[in-house]
Amino acid sequence: MASIEGDLPPSERASGSDRDPHTPVLRISQLDAFELDSALDQLVWNQFSRCFRHLRPGLLTPVEPDLKALLQLLVWRFTVFPSSATVGQSMMNLRYHNTLSLSRRYRAPSRRQTLGLALLTVGPRWLTERSHSLLLALGMGGGQPADGGLWPALRRALSVITGLTQVANLINFLVFLREGHHPSLTERILGIRAVFSRPQAVREVAFQYMNRELLWHGFAEFLIFLLPLVNVRKMKTSVYSLLLPLGLGEEEKVEAGAGVLKECVLCGEWPTMAHTIGCPHVFCYFCIKSHSMADAYLTCPKCGVDAGDVKPVQLHVDMTDGRST
């Protein structure tokens, strides 16, 4: 007992705790903690890699496994080492308990257990990604024959070890589903498991929160019902037709009238197979046909004229000044 307590982190070297480590923890909470930790690792790596997005592409590729391992060790240093809990476990009100201790009270993992957790969590992933380059650096690849030698034997040995590890993880997960603790093989090997960090209490939701959620939910349903009934295009056309004559002078109106045939009113591009609906503006044939099929009450977005008969127009382009007539 004394040797175990002597290896505890500084923040957990007390003789005991009032937390009961024998209270069962839901399996889903332990699995959610793992998912949150994985999401945190991915988030940290994405934020780190964004710092180098303006540099040469592929700059981090040669050292990507090393950088990922370093970032995971940094996260471990400021989470598991001082508080005996990962970020995911902290969010789920969990932390690690030393099951090798003979005490019936809560005991934080020893330094050896926390160090072992870091090595067994980061090390296998790093070795898997670096195995090929490490063997090449040791001179065990490249020059070896394909049908014999040390290189193929090591490759087969790594494959066998990887397969056995996956089988062991599967068996451990099945045992976890039955017993409810040690969801990872690393925890079972080190003798640690997740327990509640604080006593559980009945969850109560305030009425103010419920009223606010119900209000926003009802408002969202009202908007979902109302918005499809509003003809936004019709309103936009009406406002545009009211404001345009007031905002343009005579010279600007002439210039606008000369340029109405240069672009489709709907897509803003040069009209393809230009057509008109009876107003001075032109439309692409496919634009006006598709919009009129989608909206039976389609009007011109510029002047508000109802889209009646669609007729083709002929554009005479003056190549000297780019005008259409």
Side-chain angles (χ1 to χ4, degrees):
M1 174 68 70
S3 60
I4 294 177
E5 292 182 357
D7 292 335
L8 294 177
S11 60
E12 297 291 346
R13 290 183 179 177
S15 58
S17 175
D18 294 335
R19 289 164 290 186
D20 185 9
H22 301 286
T23 303
V25 179
L26 293 177
R27 296 168 178 82
I28 189 62
S29 299
Q30 301 180 58
L31 296 179
D32 286 343
F34 276 104
E35 292 297 328
L36 291 172
D37 293 332
S38 300
L40 175 67
D41 292 339
Q42 187 64 34
L43 179 62
V44 171
W45 172 250
N46 290 339
Q47 294 297 325
F48 180 79
S49 59
R50 287 183 62 184
C51 299
F52 301 89
R53 59 182 176 179
H54 298 298
L55 300 181
R56 177 174 58 85
L59 180 64
L60 300 180
T61 302
V63 294
E64 182 174 338
D66 308 314
L67 292 176
K68 286 184 177 181
L70 179 61
L71 291 176
Q72 290 175 353
L73 289 176
L74 288 176
V75 172
W76 167 86
R77 172 60 182 83
F78 295 102
T79 55
V80 181
F81 184 76
S83 60
S84 303
T86 64
V87 176
Q89 288 178 333
S90 299
M91 298 179 65
M92 302 302 298
N93 188 26
L94 303 176
R95 66 169 48 189
Y96 283 122
H97 166 64
N98 184 3
T99 59
L100 301 180
S101 174
L102 301 179
S103 175
R104 299 184 59 85
R105 293 186 176 183
Y106 170 80
R107 295 295 181 184
S110 64
R111 292 185 182 275
R112 296 170 185 171
Q113 289 174 320
T114 54
L115 289 175
L117 180 63
L119 293 178
L120 294 179
T121 302
V122 180
R125 185 182 306 175
W126 179 81
L127 286 176
T128 302
E129 298 177 356
R130 278 297 187 191
S131 59
H132 182 77
S133 58
L134 288 176
L135 292 177
L136 289 177
L138 294 176
M140 298 182 181
Q144 298 294 335
D147 55 349
L150 185 59
W151 173 256
L154 288 176
R155 293 294 298 271
R156 289 193 296 269
L158 289 176
S159 300
V160 171
I161 293 174
T162 302
L164 293 177
T165 303
Q166 293 177 353
V167 172
N169 286 326
L170 176 60
I171 296 175
N172 178 79
F173 185 74
L174 295 177
V175 175
F176 161 72
L177 294 180
R178 179 178 178 84
E179 297 180 354
H181 51 80
H182 301 304
S184 68
L185 187 62
T186 301
E187 296 181 5
R188 189 176 297 275
I189 294 174
L190 296 176
I192 57 177
R193 65 182 178 89
V195 297
F196 288 116
S197 59
R198 295 182 302 274
Q200 292 297 287
V202 179
R203 297 184 59 183
E204 297 180 356
V205 181
F207 285 105
Q208 294 83 353
Y209 176 79
M210 296 178 59
N211 293 335
R212 183 169 65 250
E213 290 298 317
L214 290 175
L215 176 62
W216 281 109
H217 184 71
F219 182 69
E221 288 187 345
F222 175 73
L223 290 180
I224 293 174
F225 170 77
L226 180 63
L227 289 180
L229 303 179
V230 179
N231 193 338
V232 181
R233 187 183 299 275
K234 186 78 171 181
M235 297 176 58
K236 181 179 178 181
T237 302
S238 302
V239 174
Y240 189 86
S241 60
L242 292 175
L243 298 180
L244 181 61
L246 300 177
L248 296 177
E250 294 296 332
E251 298 180 356
E252 295 175 339
K253 289 181 181 180
V254 173
E255 294 179 358
V260 293
L261 301 181
K262 293 184 180 180
E263 62 180 21
C264 172
V265 178
L266 295 175
C267 67
E269 302 293 336
W270 185 270
T272 302
M273 299 176 60
H275 281 65
T276 182
I277 58 176
C279 65
H281 305 96
V282 295
F283 308 83
C284 297
Y285 174 76
F286 297 102
C287 291
I288 186 62
K289 278 296 184 180
S290 60
H291 281 75
S292 59
M293 292 175 61
D295 186 3
Y297 303 98
L298 180 67
T299 58
C300 176
K302 295 291 185 181
C303 59
V305 175
D306 294 333
D309 296 334
V310 180
K311 299 180 180 179
V313 296
Q314 295 181 354
L315 299 180
H316 302 282
V317 182
D318 188 356
M319 303 302 295
T320 58
D321 57 359
R323 292 186 177 182
S324 303
T325 58

